[in-house]
Amino acid sequence: MTAIPISWFLTLSAILFVLGVAGFLFRRNIITLFMSIELMLNAVNLSFVTFSYHNKDVGGHLFTFFVMVVAAAEAAVGLAIILTIFKNRSTLNIDDVNTMKD
Amino acid sequence: MPITPDVILFVVFGLIAVLAAINVVVQTHPISSAISLVAVMGSLAMLYLLLGAEFIAAAQVIVYAGAVMVLFVFVIMLLNAGTEVRKGRSFMVQLLGVPLLVALLGLTAYFVQRIYPARETVHFGGFTGGSPQDIGHALFTTYLLPFEVTSALILIAIIGAVVLARKEID
Amino acid sequence: MQLWLIPTLPLAGFLINGLFGRRFSKGVVNVFAIGSVVLAFAWVLRVILGMGDLNTPVYEHYFTWMQSGTLTIGCDMAVDRLTIVMLLVVTGIGSLIHIYAIGYMAHEGGYYRFFAYLNLFMFFMLMLVLGANFLVLFVGWEGVGLCSYLLIGFYFDKKFATNAGNKAFIVNRIGDFGFLLAMFLMVRNFGSLDFATAFRSASSATESTVTLIGMLLLVGACGKSAQIPLYVWLPDAMAGPTPVSALIHAATMVTAGVYMTSRSWVIYTHAPGAMRWVAVIGIATAFFAATIGLAQTDIKKVFAYSTVSQLGYMFVGVGVGAFSAGVYHLVTHAFFKALLFLGAGSVIHALSGEQDMRNMGGMRKKIPITFWTMMCAAVAIAGVPPFSGFFSKDAILLAAYEQSPTIYWIGIITAGMTAFYVFRAMFLTFFGEYRGHEHHSHESPPVMWVPLAILAALSLAGGALFHVPEFLHESFGPAHPEAENTTLMLISVFAGLAGIGLAWLMYVAKPGMADSLAAAFKLPYQLIYNKWFVDEIYDTAVVKPVVAGSRVVLWKGMDAGVIDGSVNGVGARSRDLGGILRRMQSGSVRSYATWVLLGSVLLIWAMGFAGAAR
């Protein structure tokens, strides 16, 4: 084999994405939840770059760039929110911040 | 049949990425997850290089791994988060979680295999338009508006983070 | 001619007494009530005198009531010879009974209400008689049914009275249903309900249609005129005050069926099958009711069954084609039956409410006027010549003999039974020793015995004076010669006299004979004493299943179960659905994420297989 088929990259991206979703569904710590979201974003970045290679267009790279910017902003704000939640509820368990009636 | 370095790089770093990602999900202490996530990002940077995205690879390491993850680690240490306690259950997640994940993976992989022919391959030098020069050119011409908007976005995010996380002045 | 005045005068009496009677004194109530009926009678006389030779009918059209497509029904009144006979009977006897009621109801509560209802009844009865189309007749028909219900249940605090009122109304309704179906058929086949137009078209309609209409009209008449199988309401109707029994259930309302069938003589002459049924039902009822009358102990019940039986005779008259004979018997029956009832009322009044004949006896010394007037009615109904009942009954029986000797012979036996039970009642009440409690009984006041006397005179002489068949000569088609058969006449007279003689034997000469005969023939006696258990049979066969069906199926099953259930069910199911859907909004982030994942998987699957991936 001299080169990697492009579908492998996309499949890898899919695997990473699914792992990110799995982390989001099954973990209870809010920070770990956040990290799963970052993992999902990275997987999507990979597929953007792959498509950019496929279409020979730099636009995919630009999109990845913007995704990174947004992810950074989101991480900043999100972690600030987590700090506030921790201050109010003293817990980092996502199921415990639910105040809705059963 | 010759095995080129591209393939070896892909296999090695792909494996590292997957294993680290599994580690992120599986580890109980957040700090371990954070470190694993850094590993994922690093391997992804390597894969970007393979795809001819030099600038993005560098940005990944500098911004993502170097800034965002550091922020995560700071917050983990600030909150003194310990190992996760396993309590609270959700009926939906238990019932549908795994099947849906399997379905998602299966569907996506299937479609990908179907649409993209195996002839198309990735190797070093297959795409040369990912240099900082090309990115800069596109950024300031075709994608100027999103660029400006993003700068506003970052500004808002900074202000928001500061407001949310400050101590109340009594 | 202002025919509309005839019914409107009693209507005015009803309105005034009904609305304001509570505040009037008895005298004022009397003035409006009696006055309106007497004035109506006077106007009837005036109309008759103004009609000349009475061969051209007077026809007045007031307004168009309904117009729908090709069907036009107006509020029309017409007077021809048949109408004149009916008008005289209704207003004349009505006036006498109104006068009598002043005395009878003097001690009763609800005085003004009684006369208001009585006036309302007169209004509807006159509408019935004056109507020139079937629908106006039907309005009167229904109206007299309503008044019958109101007056039977006059003592509304007594359960048996209100039950009797309900029974009368409901059984009447069954008959009315048949009448309505007949009218629908007439509209469909003849295109009009006017007497003139309908009868013209009847000649050209198919025989099966006309027979069907005739049969359905017969059903209606059976309900109103208490023939088999719808007679059961009449004996129970005796729960009303006696003037009501006399007016409505002897002289006028129950004869409406006879009037209606004889008015529809054109239809019946074109439907011999239906006419045969009229005669058969008539004679069967006459015989059947007479058997029951033999053993009754309540004086009013005896006369009630007698009314049913005599109505049967009238139906026989109509059924054999002797329409004028049927109407003749209607007139004479009005005389002597009203008299019998009013007399019975006088007896009851004298005995302060006692109605059981076993507690009466020897009354002829105490209330002689009542006794002598009732005796006049008794000989009339028994068919003793030359009194009125003889002429009318004879006319029917002779006409029946020509059609079917069987009907004639059954009629003769029934005549014998009629004479027997009427004189049985007379002897039990007025002869022998007084069997009741110690009581001071007095004769009725003049306001009560003067009408009795007038009716007695009519019962005796009315037959000879008013020869109705001659008067109604041409009203029912080309006249055929009246049958004259001396032998048959003698047989019927003999039957009557035999009945009287047998009653004399069993109740005056040998008083114990009746009881020993009853003991000897226990089963037949039990059957006729208990009215052949017809009420009980109807109850189990019809009433109870219908009531049970209504309660179980229609009320609990359909209404509460299906309708309420579905309406409530919609609400309950919505609530349940809401309860289920609410669980989606649990506040748990992870389940939200699962939902999102589910949605996206479905989207990918749909897009992939249905669209994007070709």
Side-chain angles (χ1 to χ4, degrees), chain C residues 151-184:
Chain C
L151 284 164
I152 294 173
F154 181 72
Y155 301 118
F156 54 75
D157 48 347
K158 304 242 178 341
K159 196 80 171 55
F160 70 84
T162 50
N163 285 347
N166 282 342
K167 187 172 179 178
F169 197 78
I170 293 172
V171 175
N172 255 275
R173 264 340 234 149
I174 301 175
D176 295 345
F177 183 58
F179 197 154
L180 272 170
L181 288 177
M183 285 203 288
F184 294 154

Coordinates of all heavy atoms in Angstrom, one line a residue, chain C residues 151-184:
Chain C
L151 N -106.2 15.8 32.6 CA -107.4 15.7 33.5 C -107.4 14.3 34.2 O -107.9 14.3 35.3 CB -108.7 15.8 32.6 CG -108.9 17.3 32.3 CD1 -109.9 17.5 31.1 CD2 -109.4 18.0 33.5
I152 N -106.9 13.3 33.6 CA -106.8 12.0 34.3 C -105.9 12.2 35.5 O -106.2 11.7 36.6 CB -106.3 10.9 33.4 CG1 -107.2 10.6 32.3 CG2 -106.0 9.6 34.2 CD1 -106.6 9.6 31.3
G153 N -104.8 12.9 35.3 CA -103.9 13.1 36.4 C -104.2 14.3 37.2 O -103.4 15.0 37.8
F154 N -105.5 14.7 37.2 CA -105.9 15.9 37.9 C -105.6 15.9 39.4 O -105.1 16.9 40.0 CB -107.4 16.2 37.7 CG -107.9 17.5 38.3 CD1 -107.6 18.7 37.8 CD2 -108.7 17.4 39.5 CE1 -108.0 19.8 38.4 CE2 -109.1 18.6 40.1 CZ -108.8 19.8 39.5
Y155 N -105.8 14.7 40.0 CA -105.4 14.6 41.4 C -104.0 14.2 41.4 O -103.6 13.0 41.6 CB -106.3 13.5 42.1 CG -107.8 13.8 42.0 CD1 -108.6 13.0 41.4 CD2 -108.3 14.9 42.6 CE1 -110.0 13.2 41.3 CE2 -109.6 15.2 42.6 CZ -110.5 14.4 41.9 OH -111.8 14.6 41.9
F156 N -103.1 15.2 41.2 CA -101.7 14.8 40.8 C -101.0 14.3 42.1 O -99.9 13.9 41.9 CB -101.0 16.0 40.2 CG -101.0 17.3 41.0 CD1 -100.3 17.4 42.2 CD2 -101.9 18.3 40.6 CE1 -100.3 18.6 42.9 CE2 -101.9 19.5 41.3 CZ -101.1 19.6 42.5
D157 N -101.6 14.4 43.2 CA -100.8 13.9 44.4 C -101.1 12.4 44.6 O -100.5 11.8 45.5 CB -101.2 14.7 45.6 CG -102.8 14.9 45.8 OD1 -103.5 14.6 44.8 OD2 -103.2 15.2 46.8
K158 N -102.0 11.8 43.8 CA -102.2 10.4 43.9 C -101.4 9.7 42.8 O -101.5 10.0 41.7 CB -103.7 10.1 43.7 CG -104.6 10.8 44.6 CD -105.4 9.8 45.5 CE -106.3 10.5 46.5 NZ -106.1 11.8 46.8
K159 N -100.5 8.7 43.3 CA -99.7 8.1 42.3 C -100.4 7.3 41.3 O -100.1 7.3 40.1 CB -98.7 7.1 43.1 CG -97.6 6.6 42.3 CD -96.4 7.7 42.3 CE -95.1 7.2 41.7 NZ -95.2 6.7 40.4
F160 N -101.6 6.7 41.6 CA -102.3 5.9 40.6 C -102.9 6.8 39.6 O -103.1 6.4 38.4 CB -103.3 4.9 41.3 CG -104.5 5.6 41.8 CD1 -105.6 5.9 41.0 CD2 -104.6 5.9 43.2 CE1 -106.7 6.5 41.6 CE2 -105.7 6.5 43.7 CZ -106.8 6.8 42.9
A161 N -103.2 8.0 40.0 CA -103.8 8.9 39.0 C -102.8 9.4 38.0 O -103.0 9.4 36.8 CB -104.4 10.1 39.7
T162 N -101.6 9.7 38.5 CA -100.5 10.2 37.5 C -100.1 9.0 36.7 O -99.8 9.2 35.5 CB -99.3 10.8 38.3 OG1 -98.9 9.9 39.3 CG2 -99.7 12.1 38.9
N163 N -100.0 7.8 37.3 CA -99.6 6.7 36.4 C -100.7 6.5 35.3 O -100.3 6.2 34.2 CB -99.6 5.4 37.3 CG -98.3 5.4 38.1 OD1 -97.4 6.2 37.9 ND2 -98.3 4.5 39.1
A164 N -101.9 6.6 35.7 CA -103.0 6.4 34.7 C -102.9 7.4 33.6 O -103.1 7.1 32.4 CB -104.4 6.5 35.3
G165 N -102.6 8.7 34.0 CA -102.4 9.7 33.0 C -101.3 9.4 32.0 O -101.4 9.5 30.8
N166 N -100.1 8.9 32.6 CA -99.0 8.6 31.7 C -99.4 7.4 30.8 O -99.1 7.4 29.6 CB -97.8 8.1 32.6 CG -97.1 9.2 33.2 OD1 -97.2 10.3 32.8 ND2 -96.3 8.9 34.3
K167 N -100.1 6.4 31.4 CA -100.4 5.3 30.6 C -101.3 5.7 29.4 O -101.1 5.3 28.2 CB -101.2 4.3 31.4 CG -101.5 3.0 30.8 CD -102.1 2.0 31.9 CE -102.4 0.7 31.3 NZ -102.9 -0.2 32.4
A168 N -102.3 6.6 29.7 CA -103.2 7.0 28.6 C -102.4 7.7 27.5 O -102.6 7.4 26.3 CB -104.2 8.0 29.2
F169 N -101.5 8.6 27.9 CA -100.8 9.4 26.9 C -99.9 8.5 26.1 O -99.8 8.6 24.9 CB -100.0 10.5 27.6 CG -99.5 11.5 26.7 CD1 -100.4 12.5 26.3 CD2 -98.2 11.6 26.2 CE1 -100.0 13.5 25.5 CE2 -97.8 12.5 25.4 CZ -98.7 13.5 25.0
I170 N -99.2 7.6 26.8 CA -98.2 6.7 26.1 C -98.9 5.8 25.1 O -98.5 5.6 24.0 CB -97.3 6.0 27.1 CG1 -96.4 7.0 27.8 CG2 -96.5 4.9 26.4 CD1 -95.7 6.4 29.0
V171 N -100.0 5.2 25.6 CA -100.7 4.2 24.7 C -101.3 5.0 23.5 O -101.2 4.5 22.4 CB -101.8 3.5 25.5 CG1 -102.6 2.6 24.5 CG2 -101.1 2.6 26.5
N172 N -101.8 6.2 23.8 CA -102.3 7.0 22.7 C -101.2 7.3 21.7 O -101.4 7.3 20.5 CB -102.8 8.3 23.3 CG -104.3 8.4 23.3 OD1 -104.9 8.7 22.3 ND2 -104.9 8.0 24.4
R173 N -100.0 7.5 22.2 CA -98.9 7.9 21.3 C -98.6 6.8 20.3 O -98.2 7.0 19.2 CB -97.6 8.1 22.1 CG -97.2 9.4 22.5 CD -97.8 10.5 21.7 NE -96.8 11.4 21.2 CZ -96.9 12.0 20.1 NH1 -97.9 11.9 19.3 NH2 -95.9 12.8 19.7
I174 N -98.8 5.5 20.8 CA -98.5 4.4 19.9 C -99.5 4.5 18.7 O -99.2 4.3 17.5 CB -98.7 3.1 20.6 CG1 -97.7 3.0 21.8 CG2 -98.5 1.9 19.7 CD1 -97.8 1.8 22.6
G175 N -100.8 4.8 19.0 CA -101.8 4.9 18.0 C -101.4 6.1 17.1 O -101.5 6.0 15.9
D176 N -101.0 7.2 17.7 CA -100.7 8.4 16.9 C -99.5 8.1 15.9 O -99.5 8.7 14.8 CB -100.2 9.5 17.8 CG -101.3 10.0 18.7 OD1 -102.5 9.6 18.5 OD2 -101.1 10.7 19.7
F177 N -98.6 7.2 16.3 CA -97.6 6.9 15.4 C -98.1 6.3 14.1 O -97.7 6.7 13.0 CB -96.6 5.9 16.1 CG -95.4 5.5 15.3 CD1 -94.5 6.5 14.8 CD2 -95.2 4.2 15.0 CE1 -93.4 6.1 14.1 CE2 -94.1 3.8 14.2 CZ -93.2 4.8 13.8
G178 N -99.1 5.4 14.3 CA -99.8 4.8 13.1 C -100.4 5.9 12.3 O -100.3 5.9 11.0
F179 N -101.1 6.8 12.9 CA -101.8 7.9 12.2 C -100.8 8.7 11.5 O -101.0 9.1 10.3 CB -102.5 8.8 13.3 CG -103.6 9.7 12.8 CD1 -104.6 10.1 13.6 CD2 -103.5 10.2 11.5 CE1 -105.6 11.0 13.1 CE2 -104.5 11.0 11.0 CZ -105.5 11.4 11.8
L180 N -99.6 9.0 12.1 CA -98.6 9.8 11.4 C -98.1 9.1 10.2 O -98.0 9.8 9.1 CB -97.5 10.1 12.3 CG -97.6 11.3 13.2 CD1 -96.5 11.3 14.2 CD2 -97.5 12.6 12.4
L181 N -97.9 7.8 10.3 CA -97.4 7.1 9.1 C -98.4 7.2 8.0 O -98.1 7.3 6.8 CB -97.1 5.6 9.5 CG -95.9 5.4 10.3 CD1 -95.8 3.9 10.7 CD2 -94.6 5.9 9.6
A182 N -99.7 7.0 8.4 CA -100.8 7.1 7.4 C -100.7 8.5 6.7 O -100.9 8.6 5.5 CB -102.1 6.9 8.0
M183 N -100.5 9.5 7.5 CA -100.5 10.9 6.9 C -99.3 11.0 6.0 O -99.4 11.6 4.9 CB -100.4 12.0 8.0 CG -101.8 12.1 8.6 SD -102.0 13.7 9.4 CE -100.9 13.5 10.8
F184 N -98.2 10.5 6.3 CA -97.0 10.5 5.5 C -97.3 9.8 4.1 O -96.9 10.3 3.1 CB -95.8 9.9 6.1 CG -95.3 10.6 7.3 CD1 -94.6 9.9 8.3 CD2 -95.5 11.9 7.5 CE1 -94.1 10.5 9.4 CE2 -95.0 12.6 8.7 CZ -94.3 11.9 9.6

